[in-house]
Amino acid sequence: MRLTRSDAERRIAEEVHSFLSAGAADARELPEEFDARIAWLREWQRRLHEAGLVNVAWPTEHGGRGATLGEQMVVEQELARAGAPELIGVVGLGVVGPSIVAHGTAEQKRRWLPKILSGEEIWCQGFSEPGAGSDLAALRTVAEDRGDHWVLRGQKTWTSWAQHATWCAVLARTDLEAAAHKGISYLVADMRAPGIDVRPLEQLTGEPEFSEVYFDEVAVPKDQIIGAPNAGWSIAMHSLAHERGPAVAARAVKLRVLLDRLIADARRLERDGRPVLEDAEVRSLLARTHIQLEVLRCQSARTVGTMIAKGRPGLETSIDKLQLTRAEQLLGDTALAVLGPAATYAPGWQNVYLYSRAASIYGGTSQVQKNIIAERILGLPRS
Amino acid sequence: MDLECSDEQAELRQSAIGALDRLAPLSLARSFHAGDGEATALWRRLAELGWLGVGLDSDDPFGVPGLCLLAEQVGRRAAPTTLVDTALVARVAAACDSAQLERIVAGQPPLALAMLEPRSSWTSAPATTVTRAAGGELALSGEKLGVHHAASVGLLAVLAKLDGAPAVALVEPARAGVSIVPTPGIDPACAPCRVALHRVRVSESELLGGPAFAGALAYALDVAAVASTAEGLGAAAAALELAVAYALEREQYGRVIGGFQAVAHLLAEQHALRETAWAAVLYAAAALEERTDDAAAAAAVAKAHGAAAAKVVVEGALQAFGGVGFTREHDLHLVYRRALECAGRFGGPPEHERRVADLLLSREPALAGT
Ligand SMILES: Cc1cc2nc3c(=O)[nH]c(=O)nc-3n(C[C@H](O)[C@H](O)[C@H](O)COP(=O)(O)OP(=O)(O)OC[C@H]3O[C@@H](n4cnc5c(N)ncnc54)[C@H](O)[C@@H]3O)c2cc1C
């Protein structure tokens, strides 16, 4: 066990500090308007990558530093603590990219990884469909083999960042005869290709973060497949484990920053002439939220440790995802309860609350995580 | 940050499993419920193995996490020991440079912790007092509650007030003025007793006190709070394993009950809760070992979450068993009761949540470590 940072971790933290103090992006300048904000965030990721600080654990030959996952976590912690904005390329960096690193060909890595890091190319994840959410293996998007290319037909939905993406990781059926899990391939569609129609959807928060994506006879060259044909299911599970494991650890840091900000806001607030922070119920809510975030941090650290030891994230990432949900939704509840009208009638905390409700849905719902724990960890029968 | 156990710690855990499987099967806990419990062989062996002093020396490879690994195995078997209580007293004795330390960690004799009082909490100043008579003689008077195994140990470590400051007096149960009455307890395998002390003579050398005492006691209480959480989570893990095995075997409506999603999700939630709580225990134990700035807060977090989690886990296990879980015939209640006893020992979730609030809100910078 080791709680203090290693020398390498300390060095990289210092590097982040000197990068930030050299006049890096100020999250307070983040534009309100959605498209302007995306452009601003791309520029931020480009500069961060120029300084060599994006996904430092990726291999050196593809633009990373071959650092440890621990060092990568330190960079994310330091950036979040300094109030730096999120990276717009999250799907490429944290969900699809790791599967390209693990399962892609040398040529695919050369082609895609550097631009994922620089933010030049944004990726989206075309897994869910109108008829296939939790039951992902029921997906009906088809990729027909035409010799030197596939032709994609079907519809994806809830596809985050699709309208800004250059590439989409599409799960498509390539063997219609095979059993549900066995006939799926992990293809990469060019979002600029003819036949793709992206229709943004307004989320609960009011922002068009996800979209419907229609594929109408879209040609996909044969070299745009990750792994072997019909072997896409296990690669999709690899992507999802990254979404539930290391990506959760990164999110945990952001929640910590939000709780600190909530406490700072509450410190300035009075109700009925009394400081809000003197109210016993308010103190209890804040303490409980802190406790759940600390538990999340410890659970994530353990999962990341297991991942470093085994080289890949395992089933325990479902526990991380459940704990993230518990902590994030409690933080949302606490913000509204503690700040009261100051949160309900202002955009910031209201959105934190509303966005927290997605945590029990994306990356597999809480019920699906419990199914995984029950069936795959505890060995209970399939329900 | 790395929460993986070292090779030495993993070996310690393995030896604890081996030794306790032999010396403390669940039938030992059960014998205490029947009123004819006898655990001196177990206590002797724990002392011989050096486990009463685990993590005490700075060059010990196990540290506070090692103590928690042992406590977890104790909890899994609801074993009748005063392992965690002894760890607390030993840490105070070590910090006070007391000559008593040697016999405490040697288990010569085994010790019971007399700390809680009828009208106080774990962190209250004691009402029990050591008074100085004119001739310089010291006398100890007061009343203690929840003293585990007081009726069968050879030494009582009594928290008392001495010259206005807290101290610990070490006295034999047989000394004049000491009376010990076994009481009902939620976990009979802890053999809780009420201890009344009426002008019990104490010598200076039997006192742990001095300038280092208050800080040492606060630290030792944090260590004990985390270790008892580990013990409770051990009990919870055992309860969950029993429940999962039962869910795979018990059939209703023509299928095993583990195939009903309501049951499966209950067990899955319990597993997730126990794992997250265990992660927080490992972190707090390591923070206490390294005495980081956030060690006290980490201990309070681990206790508040871990005690609540252990309770939810054993309650869920009880539900999964149906009627048979509500009997004394089934083993479940042995570990169920241990989890409940540990949940409140050294302060329960409400007390520790209040501590978290005080630590979190009293100062500006974030409390979380790195
Ligand atoms: C903010 C956000 C971003 C997203 N981004 C993406 C993205 O980028 N790419 C992508 O592919 N997807 C994305 N998703 C989609 C997400 O993965 C799905 O919404 C999720 O998997 C659930 O599928 P569904 O919406 O079809 O709900 P359904 O599967 O229809 O579920 C409806 C309800 O039934 C429950 N349920 C279903 N099956 C079971 C079962 N077997 N046992 C018990 N309960 C069950 C569910 O838990 C849920 O409560 C995103 C979702 C959100 C909210």
Side-chain angles (χ1 to χ4, degrees):
Chain A
M1 291 189 193
R2 178 179 54 81
L3 301 187
T4 48
R5 286 177 171 175
S6 69
D7 288 342
E9 287 169 354
R10 265 196 301 274
R11 270 197 303 276
I12 209 159
E14 273 162 29
E15 218 182 303
V16 175
H17 293 162
S18 50
F19 168 74
L20 289 172
S21 61
D26 185 340
R28 281 168 303 189
E29 290 165 10
L30 200 60
E32 276 281 318
E33 197 270 317
F34 192 72
D35 287 331
R37 182 160 6 121
I38 301 294
W40 193 95
L41 286 171
R42 275 178 186 251
E43 172 59 13
W44 161 242
Q45 184 174 331
R46 188 191 64 75
R47 290 174 51 199
L48 198 62
H49 176 59
E50 222 169 60
L53 291 172
V54 177
N55 274 20
V56 295
W58 278 14
T60 329
E61 65 266 35
H62 304 305
R65 293 190 181 196
T68 64
L69 202 52
E71 287 167 66
Q72 185 164 318
M73 293 292 152
V74 166
V75 173
E76 280 164 17
Q77 274 166 4
E78 294 305 321
L79 287 172
R81 269 196 206 155
E86 302 202 37
L87 295 182
I88 183 66
V90 279
V91 174
L93 294 167
V95 184
V96 179
S99 296
I100 298 177
V101 171
H103 301 282
T105 62
E107 170 53 28
Q108 289 171 338
K109 293 180 194 177
R110 247 193 318 275
R111 179 176 179 191
W112 286 321
L113 296 181
K115 290 181 178 172
I116 288 179
L117 291 171
S118 67
E120 194 179 331
E121 293 181 345
I122 289 176
W123 283 61
C124 61
Q125 177 190 8
F127 287 16
S128 306
E129 298 182 2
S134 301
D135 186 8
L136 187 58
L139 62 90
R140 300 215 316 249
T141 295
V142 171
E144 198 182 302
D145 193 336
R146 296 269 177 88
D148 64 339
H149 67 283
W150 277 285
V151 168
L152 260 184
R153 238 182 344 257
Q155 186 202 335
K156 297 291 173 178
T157 190
W158 323 129
T159 317
S160 300
W161 318 114
Q163 71 273 49
H164 301 284
T166 310
W167 301 103
C168 181
V170 181
L171 294 184
R173 203 158 284 294
T174 40
D175 183 346
L176 300 177
E177 312 295 312
H181 299 81
K182 302 226 165 102
I184 294 170
S185 295
Y186 196 117
L187 302 181
V188 177
D190 186 335
M191 293 297 279
R192 298 153 295 191
I196 293 188
D197 183 15
V198 177
R199 301 182 197 162
L201 297 164
E202 205 176 328
Q203 291 184 338
L204 191 61
T205 54
E207 301 203 317
E209 195 186 90
F210 57 32
S211 298
E212 294 177 314
V213 182
Y214 293 83
F215 297 92
D216 180 19
E217 306 284 320
V218 176
V220 177
K222 274 286 168 80
D223 59 356
Q224 287 177 199
I225 180 171
I226 311 293
N230 300 322
W233 184 255
S234 70
I235 300 170
M237 293 305 109
H238 180 268
S239 296
L240 287 175
H242 272 271
E243 187 173 1
R244 294 164 188 162
V248 164
R251 177 114 194 106
V253 186
K254 307 207 167 82
L255 298 180
R256 172 79 245 167
V257 173
L258 281 175
L259 176 61
D260 289 342
R261 203 172 297 158
L262 172 60
I263 292 171
D265 284 2
R267 209 180 280 288
R268 289 191 294 267
L269 205 63
E270 291 197 349
R271 234 179 336 262
D272 296 330
R274 261 186 70 210
V276 160
L277 280 191
E278 283 176 13
D279 183 280
E281 190 58 33
V282 163
R283 297 176 73 82
S284 163
L285 278 170
L286 291 168
R288 284 181 197 188
T289 309
H290 171 81
I291 289 168
Q292 291 308 320
L293 283 176
E294 279 294 276
V295 169
L296 172 63
R297 188 170 68 90
C298 298
Q299 171 64 28
S300 264
R302 235 183 130 203
T303 297
V304 169
T306 310
M307 186 180 154
I308 290 170
K310 291 194 182 152
R312 61 185 153 72
L315 295 169
E316 68 281 356
T317 52
S318 286
I319 300 174
D320 299 36
K321 178 71 199 318
L322 283 177
Q323 180 61 25
L324 171 77
T325 299
R326 188 178 158 111
E328 181 160 355
Q329 297 190 341
L330 179 60
L331 174 65
D333 293 339
T334 298
L336 289 203
V338 168
L339 301 177
T344 314
Y345 302 113
W349 287 111
Q350 193 192 118
N351 273 354
V352 169
Y353 174 84
L354 292 174
Y355 199 78
S356 74
R357 304 298 119 171
S360 48
I361 303 171
Y362 67 71
T365 68
S366 294
Q367 285 73 28
V368 165
Q369 308 304 340
K370 287 178 204 170
N371 286 345
I372 292 171
I373 295 169
E375 292 163 21
R376 313 266 313 274
I377 299 182
L378 300 181
L380 295 171
R382 287 187 69 100
S383 52
Chain B
M1 155 163 132
D2 167 16
L3 296 180
E4 296 296 299
C5 287
S6 67
D7 291 346
E8 285 103 333
Q9 286 164 338
E11 273 168 36
L12 177 72
R13 183 169 173 275
Q14 280 311 317
S15 4
I17 292 171
L20 292 172
D21 274 351
R22 243 177 311 111
L23 286 159
L26 277 176
S27 56
L28 181 65
R30 188 172 280 285
S31 68
F32 276 78
H33 288 242
D36 54 5
E38 160 54 52
T40 43
L42 169 65
W43 296 351
R44 199 178 317 117
R45 191 72 191 124
L46 290 179
E48 281 165 12
L49 287 163
W51 291 348
L52 298 182
V54 75
L56 260 185
D57 294 339
S58 51
D59 58 353
D60 171 317
F62 309 120
V64 180
L67 171 65
C68 291
L69 293 171
L70 294 181
E72 185 198 19
Q73 296 305 321
V74 165
R76 275 179 167 271
R77 296 159 183 82
T81 77
T82 57
L83 177 79
V84 175
D85 295 352
T86 308
L88 183 157
V89 180
R91 272 166 182 75
V92 173
C96 297
D97 265 334
S98 167
Q100 301 276 359
L101 178 62
E102 209 171 312
R103 68 165 174 153
I104 292 171
V105 298
Q108 304 280 358
L111 154 163
L113 175 67
M115 196 162 165
L116 194 65
E117 299 183 350
R119 278 166 298 279
S120 73
S121 76
W122 288 93
T123 45
S124 308
T128 300
T129 309
V130 180
T131 49
R132 288 181 194 276
E137 267 180 9
L138 301 172
L140 173 69
S141 296
E143 195 181 355
K144 296 288 178 176
L145 198 66
V147 187
H148 289 175
H149 300 286
S152 38
V153 295
L155 194 63
L156 301 172
V158 184
L159 183 71
K161 201 160 54 204
L162 169 69
D163 303 330
V168 161
L170 297 165
V171 298
E172 300 87 45
R175 206 171 284 188
V178 178
S179 71
I180 295 173
V181 185
T183 60
I186 196 124
D187 183 3
C190 290
C193 298
R194 184 180 283 266
V195 175
L197 305 143
H198 182 65
R199 298 202 187 169
V200 180
R201 296 264 297 268
V202 195
S203 71
E204 288 284 354
S205 67
E206 291 167 332
L207 292 171
L208 309 177
F213 185 88
L217 180 66
Y219 174 77
L221 256 174
D222 282 339
V223 170
V226 174
S228 76
T229 307
E231 186 175 333
L233 289 171
L240 180 56
E241 279 166 22
L242 289 171
V244 169
Y246 188 71
L248 282 168
E249 154 206 313
R250 167 74 175 167
E251 290 187 15
Q252 284 294 283
Y253 301 94
R255 55 196 282 210
V256 295
I257 57 166
F260 295 114
Q261 199 175 52
V263 174
H265 281 195
L266 184 71
L267 297 173
E269 275 163 30
Q270 291 169 36
H271 176 76
L273 256 182
R274 207 217 78 102
E275 288 304 304
T276 59
W278 186 247
V281 161
L282 289 178
Y283 176 75
L288 286 164
E289 181 60 31
E290 293 183 19
R291 294 183 186 252
T292 59
D293 291 344
D294 72 334
V301 165
K303 185 70 159 96
H305 178 69
K311 185 167 177 296
V312 171
V313 171
V314 297
E315 304 295 8
L318 179 59
Q319 183 64 21
F321 269 101
V324 72
F326 199 68
T327 66
R328 293 199 173 197
E329 207 176 298
H330 196 280
D331 280 344
L332 177 71
H333 85 110
L334 302 171
V335 283
Y336 173 89
R337 288 165 177 281
R338 178 56 56 93
L340 294 186
E341 172 69 24
C342 289
R345 200 147 175 96
F346 308 112
E351 287 100 319
H352 286 280
E353 200 183 287
R354 266 199 301 280
R355 280 185 71 203
V356 170
D358 292 344
L359 290 163
L360 178 70
L361 303 174
S362 66
R363 47 181 169 147
E364 287 287 345
L367 263 184
T370 48

